[in-house]
Amino acid sequence: MRTRVRGWRWRRNPLRRRSDVVEAWTVLAVAVLLLVGAPLAGALAGLWAHDEARTVATAQRAERHRVRAEVIGEAPEQLPSVGDRHAYLTTVRWTEPGGETRTVSARVPAGARQGDVVDVWFDSRGRSVAPPPNDVAVWQHTVGIGLCVAGGAAAVVLLGHGIAHRVSLRHRMDEWEREWARTGPDWTRRRA
């Protein structure tokens, strides 16, 4: 039966080696970094990402304008399966406030059919663009960056702990070899 003594690396005893003390401090540092450091790094990165995403969204909202337009073009036979939230390019028409009718190619949602009225977005040059990110997209970006940074920080801490543990184990084996070289001859001597 094996008995486990908690905290033996912290107590003074004749069997404790320097590598045991180093390993105990390393485990404590890893615990603090995993429980405090990684979440803090994720939160700080998330705050930074939130500010950046809000700035970009505000700039895009100021630069882009929305137009309610009627779809007059045909939907393609096969819609794209990736990118741009399944939007496709087709012909739309709308009337400007001055009475002028405009017809251009613009991105419309995948479910739009001929005759539907949809929101299309244009930049300052009149090119069809994706809508600016809304608050949900900003928060998704924030949480994604925060989780990635926290996970990356935890991975770095665990990798560092693995390396430190391996080095500590190597030093422990060297210490045992030196001790055995010193005491081994007394144990292996033939008795006459």
Side-chain angles (χ1 to χ4, degrees):
M1 178 183 257
R2 192 172 154 183
T3 304
R4 195 163 189 147
V5 179
R6 297 194 187 278
W8 67 271
R9 289 184 171 119
W10 297 100
R11 295 188 206 138
R12 289 220 176 268
N13 67 59
L15 298 177
R16 184 181 75 171
R17 294 171 303 277
R18 187 175 20 166
S19 62
D20 295 328
V21 175
V22 168
E23 190 171 358
W25 281 104
T26 303
V27 168
L28 181 64
V30 165
V32 168
L33 288 174
L34 284 177
L35 296 175
V36 177
L40 184 63
L44 291 175
L47 288 173
W48 172 81
H50 183 72
D51 289 343
E52 290 294 318
R54 277 188 30 210
T55 302
V56 168
T58 302
Q60 286 183 359
R61 282 188 201 113
E63 176 188 286
R64 298 174 182 186
H65 62 280
R66 179 179 58 167
V67 174
R68 298 279 297 161
E70 178 186 0
V71 178
I72 59 173
E74 295 280 331
E77 301 245 347
Q78 202 173 38
L79 295 175
S81 61
V82 294
D84 234 359
R85 288 177 237 149
H86 304 288
Y88 65 92
L89 202 59
T90 191
T91 307
V92 296
R93 176 178 52 211
W94 74 93
T95 304
E96 295 279 338
E100 178 186 348
T101 301
R102 294 201 50 197
T103 304
V104 297
S105 289
R107 296 176 196 202
V108 297
R113 296 195 184 341
Q114 193 172 13
D116 289 349
V117 177
V118 296
D119 291 333
V120 291
W121 290 83
F122 296 97
D123 64 6
S124 58
R125 295 180 184 170
R127 294 179 298 188
S128 177
V129 293
N134 58 10
D135 289 340
V136 172
V138 169
W139 278 107
Q140 286 174 339
H141 177 73
T142 300
V143 170
I145 293 293
L147 288 175
C148 286
V149 169
V156 167
V157 168
L158 291 174
L159 178 67
H161 177 255
I163 292 169
H165 179 71
R166 194 168 182 146
V167 168
S168 176
L169 186 61
R170 186 176 307 133
H171 283 287
R172 185 177 303 128
M173 290 299 167
D174 290 344
E175 287 176 0
W176 283 352
E177 283 294 323
R178 283 193 300 274
E179 287 294 318
W180 182 251
R182 191 171 51 102
T183 60
D186 293 338
W187 284 77
T188 57
R189 198 176 334 181
R190 292 189 181 249
R191 296 183 193 241

